[in-house]
Amino acid sequence: GKGNHRHFMHKEIYEQPAVIGDTLSTFVNPATRTVALQDLPFDLAEVSRVTIVACGTSFHSALVAKYWFEKLARISVEVDIASEFRYRAAELPEGGLALFISQSGETADTLAALRYAKSQKQHVAVLVNQPESSMAREADVMLQTLCGPEIGVASTKAFTAQLAVLACFAIAVARARGKIDTQREAELATALAEVPSRIAEVLADEEAIEALGKSLIDARDVLYLGRGTSYPLALEGALKLKELSYIHAEGYAAGEMKHGPIALIDDQMPVIVVAPHDELFEKTASNVQEVLARGGKVIMMSDAAGIAAFPGKTLATIRLPDCDPFVAPILYSIPLQLLAYHTAVHKGTDVDQPRNLAKSVTVE
Ligand code: F6R
């Protein structure tokens, strides 16, 4: 049941500290501050290329993973949506690693993409929440999120738990390839181990986010901006808002805004900016200035340092706890989920069962 929550989605948002803690406990050893995967039927050090394929929200976690794998493990990563990948005759060098991400393990396009990768002699790994699923059965390796059932049609806890596993996977590949030293691994293991309590801190800020959600209900369009790993977060925030509240929303790479969408900005346009104070912060901040100069209503998600460093005048800020930038995508997912949730609740839409959507898309 929903316990004392009004919707399954709300309950599942609040389950995140626990389910991410459970999921991480399979991979992170807090005593030795190391990260390890299960034994694999191939050598990670020999993998020359990684291909990650998924749909929807799971595709957004794949995009975050691309940044992590490239930066930490210095390996070439290609990411695609399954409905494109399966039909485009992708050239996959033998011995590559193909990873399929799916909460349900049953999404038709992702399963077809997996079968294609198998036919191209890839090592096939899946990251699923349902261990009894078609994808889990057909893969060489199964990685699992330990979320329990996700009832709300809009994915929340499965997404953040996918990110937690992918972070561990990236660290494991980095170590196999000799690209990370013991000290950095220890820092990252600690940062990951602290994620559940940091999420709990973000959840404690729900009231402020609820008020912001209420302020969005009459918006016609909402733009989400981010750079680096915050770019896929912008895509995910926009997807959550549109599917739950039926308000048109778009996620954009902050630096790409001046190549088109800036034409949309006027004083009616809410712009949500995902901007932890990381190495790209100054770049994002200058894009935000361009939005402000055109009257856009900026809602900025950042940490204390980012909020202090930002020179412009935002409509509102959502302050996130300090964290290693590596784990920021997991934390910044939470206010994006809550914002979409509360906008929808105030609009009166069916949060757990948005129109036209199905939890598991088993037809293409
Ligand atoms: C959006 C959402 C969908 C799913 C997509 C893939 O909130 O939940 O976009 O992420 O249908 O589903 P899985 O992960 O089961 O393959």
Side-chain angles (χ1 to χ4, degrees), residues 55-58 101-105 107 153-155 239-240 243 361:
C55 298
T57 288
S58 296
I101 307 176
S102 175
Q103 185 282 127
S104 62
T107 301
V153 165
S155 186
L239 176 60
K240 288 282 99 91
E243 66 184 334
V361 184

